[in-house]
Amino acid sequence: MASTMRPFTQMVGRASRSTLLSLERSSFRTIPSQNAFLSFRTKSAQLAYPPTLRSNGLPSERSFSTTSVRARARTMGQLKARNSTGPFSWKSALLFVITGGAMIIYFRVEKERLARKRVAEMSKGVGRPKVGGPFVLKDLNGNQYTEEDLKGKYSFVYFGFTHCPDICPDELDKMAEIIDRVKEATKDENIFLPVFVTCDPVRDTPEVLRSYLQEFHGDIIGLTGTYEQVKHMCKQYRVYFSTPQNVNPGEDYLVDHSIYFYLMDPEGDFVECIGRQDTPESATNVILQHINDWKREGKPLKKD
């Protein structure tokens, strides 16, 4: 039995040694190829990253770091992202829209201001205004009142009479609302002067006129005078009225007149006419536009 197992053991040993020898030969054949690959990669790295000099003048290899490559990659990505949007961003677009809108509004306001100024200049005659001019009347305290008393402020002149059944009350109600709106917008600067001139001086005595105007607004200045004085002022302002000149006391008669408010600037020149078609809101806007134009030009205003 021992003689039988010995040849079998020898055969297994020889087979194991032959297998180990074949594995060693294959390993020796593989190692040189791997060494060659490592040598090629090292040379490539040296070409890509040239050696630097130490402080003593000897070359030293630059240490390889992946951090700079990653940072560079992120920076290039940011550049690409920025270039993909072009020279404009949402911030620059928003700034462009805001600037363009502001310029449009400015030119529109300036155009309207120049148009108002041109109309006001056209309303002036050669040497004297086409609307407005010298006059002499009396206020409700019996004091003389002339065109000079209107200067320095924007005056708002209306012609009417106390016996008017419907038109004058409606217009005076509108006048009262305009006064309040202008005072509120100008913060009570006292640069707006509302004036009521009677076209019926015979019946509209100072006492009658004072009681009548108080029903609408306490800031309205009432003016009256003789028939000739009233007629002269109506002519200066191009106002039509049909009051008879010679009437007996207690005699009833009708009066017809123009229904307009006349806006005069602080120099006594006519600038705007407000009619029945205007509302208190639209009339106030027109008045404030002229006041703001005057202030923008730096012209003086009397605020007492």
Side-chain angles (χ1 to χ4, degrees):
M1 183 67 178
S3 60
T4 306
M5 292 296 294
R6 187 178 294 114
F8 177 75
T9 304
Q10 291 175 354
M11 291 177 62
V12 172
R14 284 196 297 269
S16 299
R17 284 195 297 270
S18 62
T19 303
L20 289 173
L21 287 173
S22 63
L23 289 174
E24 288 177 356
R25 290 192 189 97
S26 63
S27 298
F28 283 121
R29 285 196 300 270
T30 306
I31 290 173
S33 63
Q34 292 176 348
N35 291 335
F37 174 73
L38 292 173
S39 176
F40 173 75
R41 191 173 64 178
T42 304
K43 290 180 180 180
S44 301
Q46 290 177 353
L47 291 175
Y49 300 97
T52 59
L53 295 179
R54 297 195 186 100
S55 59
N56 57 8
L58 297 177
S60 65
E61 289 188 359
R62 179 183 296 173
S63 60
F64 181 80
S65 175
T66 58
T67 304
S68 61
V69 177
R70 291 175 182 173
R72 190 180 297 110
R74 286 198 299 270
T75 304
M76 292 300 296
Q78 292 173 357
L79 290 174
K80 290 179 180 179
R82 185 177 65 183
N83 292 333
S84 64
T85 60
F88 292 100
S89 64
W90 67 268
K91 291 183 179 179
S92 60
L94 180 61
L95 180 62
F96 177 79
V97 171
I98 293 175
T99 304
M103 292 181 64
I104 291 174
I105 294 174
Y106 170 77
F107 285 117
R108 183 176 297 175
V109 171
E110 188 67 13
K111 181 180 179 181
E112 293 176 354
R113 185 186 71 83
L114 293 176
R116 290 192 297 269
K117 186 176 181 179
R118 184 166 57 252
V119 171
E121 291 294 331
M122 292 173 60
S123 300
K124 298 179 181 180
V126 179
R128 65 185 183 88
K130 292 182 178 179
V131 177
F135 66 88
V136 177
L137 292 176
K138 288 185 179 182
D139 62 16
L140 301 184
N141 295 322
N143 300 318
Q144 183 173 283
Y145 203 98
T146 69
E147 75 282 354
E148 294 297 324
D149 296 299
L150 298 180
K151 293 183 179 180
K153 302 181 180 183
Y154 270 89
S155 55
F156 200 50
V157 185
Y158 180 77
F159 294 82
F161 64 107
T162 61
H163 286 73
C164 182
D166 49 11
I167 295 178
C168 287
D170 292 341
E171 294 301 288
L172 286 176
D173 281 334
K174 182 166 69 176
M175 188 180 197
E177 187 172 348
I178 293 171
I179 295 170
D180 291 335
R181 287 176 175 271
V182 173
K183 289 180 66 175
E184 181 181 0
T186 57
K187 299 179 181 179
D188 291 332
E189 287 183 301
N190 195 23
I191 56 176
F192 187 62
L193 194 64
V195 177
F196 179 91
V197 181
T198 181
C199 295
D200 187 11
V202 174
R203 291 183 295 191
D204 291 344
T205 62
E207 292 76 16
V208 172
L209 199 55
R210 180 182 292 107
S211 176
Y212 180 77
L213 295 178
Q214 285 293 329
E215 297 179 2
F216 299 98
H217 204 287
D219 290 348
I220 302 176
I221 298 174
L223 298 180
T224 186
T226 65
Y227 179 86
E228 292 297 333
Q229 289 173 334
V230 171
K231 180 180 179 180
H232 174 74
M233 185 175 181
C234 289
K235 184 178 180 180
Q236 294 286 76
Y237 280 76
R238 305 298 186 264
V239 174
Y240 164 78
F241 78 108
S242 62
T243 307
Q245 183 174 2
N246 298 314
V247 293
N248 298 320
E251 183 179 350
D252 192 16
Y253 52 90
L254 297 177
V255 175
D256 190 15
H257 62 90
S258 302
I259 308 169
Y260 292 105
F261 292 96
Y262 298 88
L263 182 64
M264 315 296 289
D265 69 15
E267 293 179 350
D269 293 326
F270 169 78
V271 292
E272 198 77 38
C273 189
I274 306 297
R276 297 190 66 185
Q277 74 280 0
D278 292 289
T279 64
E281 294 82 3
S282 63
T284 302
N285 290 334
V286 170
I287 294 168
L288 292 176
Q289 287 173 357
H290 285 286
I291 291 176
N292 292 332
D293 291 344
W294 189 272
K295 291 180 177 180
R296 192 178 294 113
E297 295 178 4
K299 296 181 179 180
L301 284 167
K302 187 170 62 176
K303 300 181 181 181
D304 57 342

